[in-house]
Amino acid sequence: MQVYFIGAGPGDPDLITVKGQKRLSEADVVIYAGSLVNPALLGKAKQGAAVYNSASMTLPQVIDVIAKAVAENKRVARVHTGDPSIYGAIKEQMDELDKLGISYEIIPGVSSFLATAAALQCEYTLPDVSQTVIITRLEGRTPVPPKENLASLASHTATMCIFLSVHMLDNVVRELMDGGYPSDTPIAVVQKASWPEQKIIRGTLSTISGQIKAQGIDRTAMIVVGRCLEGDYALSRLYAPEFGHMYRDAT
Ligand code: SAH
């Protein structure tokens, strides 16, 4: 295998997987998503590796770099932020490589919505609160299918992780409330989760917009909304003393 799509993780260079780091350190050519991948990760690339920042490249240019490297028997690391399956635009790259008969492997990464849970020290799936996590975004230049509009997703009042939308927080809040979240629902915004400059802002649907404006946060942030961010929940059945299961008898 010569081509690897690698999830770089959310920012902290230690949050790449062991396998991802290994493949990165072996690559002759590294193409990384410069807007979000921590440049510190490039320090793990091999000395003399050719490094490309995909932020200023088009899809054909990226494919061209990969195809040339493969033709020269070189190894390529295509490094995406978080996990490449989430808003990573890898499908279009894979389809082009398929057309060229170039095979590849994907190495998953820690998505930013998971680093955000760690930063918030929260559990998204609390018994009696929510057993569902919705990953979504507000429509921007990329359209969102009408059946997935934020208000309709909000009607489930499940835990929601909203990507790519903090610069439109007023609209996010409006749609969440239109969809059925009460105005006192807890919401948190985490900017640059796992980076040294990580910032956490907690509020409610009625307060968050003002808080975010005051902090000047308008990019690289995750929005989390739901009652999982506050105190009330039921204890898990898994660890309940009176609840036995395959690996442990009830006491
Ligand atoms: N594939 C990435 C997401 C890319 S889309 C992943 O799995 O995380 C880019 C969006 O991800 C940003 O607009 C922001 O909403 C979110 N994001 C990426 N890195 C982040 C971080 N360190 N902290 C908070 N949000 C982040």
Side-chain angles (χ1 to χ4, degrees), residues 10-11 36 81-84 86-88 110-113 116 162-165 190-195 220-222:
L36 284 171
T81 178
D83 184 87
I86 314 264
Y87 307 113
V110 177
S111 180
S112 58
F113 82 97
T116 294
I162 306 169
F163 285 69
L164 293 160
S165 305
V190 179
Q191 187 178 43
K192 298 204 108 177
S194 86
W195 292 69
T220 323
M222 183 69 50

Side-chain angles (χ1 to χ4, degrees), residues 151-198:
S152 72
L153 296 178
S155 69
H156 301 284
T157 56
T159 302
M160 292 179 83
C161 297
I162 306 169
F163 285 69
L164 293 160
S165 305
V166 78
H167 58 293
M168 302 179 281
L169 190 62
D170 288 346
N171 297 356
V172 171
V173 166
R174 186 172 343 105
E175 292 222 23
L176 291 175
M177 299 216 276
D178 285 353
Y181 281 106
S183 62
D184 66 347
T185 304
I187 182 169
V189 171
V190 179
Q191 187 178 43
K192 298 204 108 177
S194 86
W195 292 69
E197 59 270 41
Q198 167 182 296

